[in-house]
Amino acid sequence: MEINAIVIFFAAIFTSNILLTNFLGMCSFLSVSKEIESSLGLGLAVFFVLTLTTALNYIVYHFILVSLDIVYLQYIVFIIVIAALVQLIEMVIERFSPVLYYTLGIFLPLITVNCAILGVSLFMIIRKYSFIQSLAFGAGSGLGWLLAILTLAGIRTKIREKFVPTGLQGAGLSLIITGIMALAFIGFSGIVVIQ
Amino acid sequence: MNRKEIFITSAFTNNSIWRQILGICSALAVTNLMQNSLVMGLGVTFTLILTSLTISLIRNYIPKSIRMMVQTLIIAAYVIIVDIFLKAFLPEVSKSLGPYVGLIITNCIIMGRAEAFAGKNSAIDSMIDAIGSGLGYTLVLLLIAFVRELFGFGSIFGFTVLGDWWQKWSIMVMAPSAFFLLALIIWIVNGPIATRKRK
């Protein structure tokens, strides 16, 4: 069934948020979300890279892997594409925009091992999206991830001074907050539905 | 450190999930059914053992500057084996795991063990460490899956345990419960258990 790309875009942000329903990109989500500023930096970098890699992986998958009949190599190829693209973006940003490089720079290497990036490419293949749909899905997922990490960072800065039981500091409490956020996001379901 | 200690350290005292908070993407995503969790755990353990062995054997020949890329490619190669194996012998599980088999590549546990242990130790020690980490990971997955499947579907490994009288908790099948249960495990292990040991 052909789903409208705009529907996919909004669904990827709200109803099937890549982080809150598919748990992708948890590692950096938990470790970077201490400060709003760095969360914004990482979130923007993820959004940027996710949109580009999804488009690039779509082209690579459909025009190289399928036509050469080596689809089973998709994992290796996707990882190489992601790593190469991240490296390239890093160099381009460093050359043309030093200011942006200082905000995004340190986060770019982290992104190669962010499972959200690879996950979105794999979901795109499994769900058989077209190019425009993939682009919308990639951009939407990136924005959704940005939204989730900014929200968590905001909540975490508010509770920084509060008492937290032993053993629950850091990751434990962040997971509970994320759980409550996921519960809240269930409220969005029913607005738009995609598989 | 002898081999028994290496195993216990990597499986329990320094467990990847509850101590180092690594590799939790898949720990949260596949734990709605025990069968999926077991397959996922074994898949990760398999990849972990072979990656650690390979990295440990060639550790003196990898140039420092590109070691991340080498590690990623080695992991990806083993994950492809796991993926093809699952597609051939357990097609249904493979389908319900979906992209999460491929995401073993970006599972931080494997990269973490390669970086922290296999790159510095002998092949046998690295394998023992990998088996320990893999089993520790599988254990946590099965713990979460046990609760989620029991309350969410009323079954264990697909066998109905709680009968028709059981009102299924649909929240247990959905995403939030995974976050809460993992947080609970981390809390119990790092809070009460850790403080009691210190006394």
Side-chain angles (χ1 to χ4, degrees), chain B residues 116-171:
Chain B
F117 200 93
K120 299 181 195 112
N121 290 285
S122 75
I124 308 258
D125 285 357
S126 304
M127 270 178 82
I128 290 171
D129 174 72
I131 296 171
S133 308
L135 291 183
Y137 172 80
T138 314
L139 177 78
V140 179
L141 250 63
L142 286 178
L143 262 176
I144 301 176
F146 175 76
V147 179
R148 286 184 75 184
E149 193 180 338
L150 185 67
F151 290 118
F153 295 100
S155 59
I156 292 172
F157 275 111
F159 299 107
T160 311
V161 181
L162 303 167
D164 292 331
W165 54 272
W166 178 254
Q167 180 71 45
K168 287 170 183 156
W169 298 10
S170 55
I171 185 77

Side-chain angles (χ1 to χ4, degrees), chain A residues 20 22-27 30 72 75-76 79 115 118-119 122-123 126 166-168 171-172 175-176 178-180 183 186, chain B residues 21 24-25 28-29 72-73 76 80 83 98-100 102-103 105-106 108 171 174-176 179-180 182-183 186-187 190-191:
Chain A
L20 297 172
N22 292 318
F23 313 103
L24 295 176
M26 283 301 293
C27 298
L30 290 181
Y72 56 88
Y75 298 150
I76 287 193
I79 273 288
C115 33
L118 182 63
L122 294 177
F123 269 122
I126 289 176
T166 333
L168 206 57
L175 278 171
I176 292 181
T178 319
I180 297 171
L183 263 181
I186 288 180
Chain B
I21 326 286
I24 47 181
C25 307
L28 293 165
T72 314
L73 290 183
I80 289 178
D83 187 44
Y100 294 101
L103 286 170
I105 300 174
T106 48
C108 333
I171 185 77
M174 291 192 287
F179 287 112
F180 293 138
L182 184 61
I186 291 175
W187 187 10
N190 291 335

Side-chain angles (χ1 to χ4, degrees), chain B residues 55-120:
Chain B
I55 301 269
S56 172
L57 286 176
I58 59 169
R59 67 181 186 279
N60 296 328
Y61 306 103
I62 310 175
K64 265 244 141 48
S65 51
I66 58 158
R67 69 177 193 289
M68 292 290 209
M69 204 60 230
V70 174
Q71 286 165 359
T72 314
L73 290 183
I74 292 173
I75 297 168
Y78 288 126
V79 170
I80 289 178
I81 299 178
V82 173
D83 187 44
I84 292 176
F85 180 86
L86 288 184
K87 272 190 185 133
F89 294 101
L90 296 164
E92 263 168 39
V93 177
S94 164
K95 209 163 197 182
S96 72
L97 285 177
Y100 294 101
V101 180
L103 286 170
I104 296 178
I105 300 174
T106 48
N107 190 321
C108 333
I109 295 178
I110 302 178
M111 197 84 133
R113 289 335 283 168
E115 190 69 12
F117 200 93
K120 299 181 195 112

Side-chain angles (χ1 to χ4, degrees), chain A residues 90-112:
Chain A
E90 203 178 343
M91 288 192 292
V92 170
I93 292 181
E94 194 181 7
R95 171 75 182 76
F96 290 104
S97 169
V99 182
L100 190 63
Y101 181 73
Y102 281 114
T103 31
L104 294 188
I106 38 169
F107 300 115
L108 282 172
L110 264 178
I111 283 182
T112 316

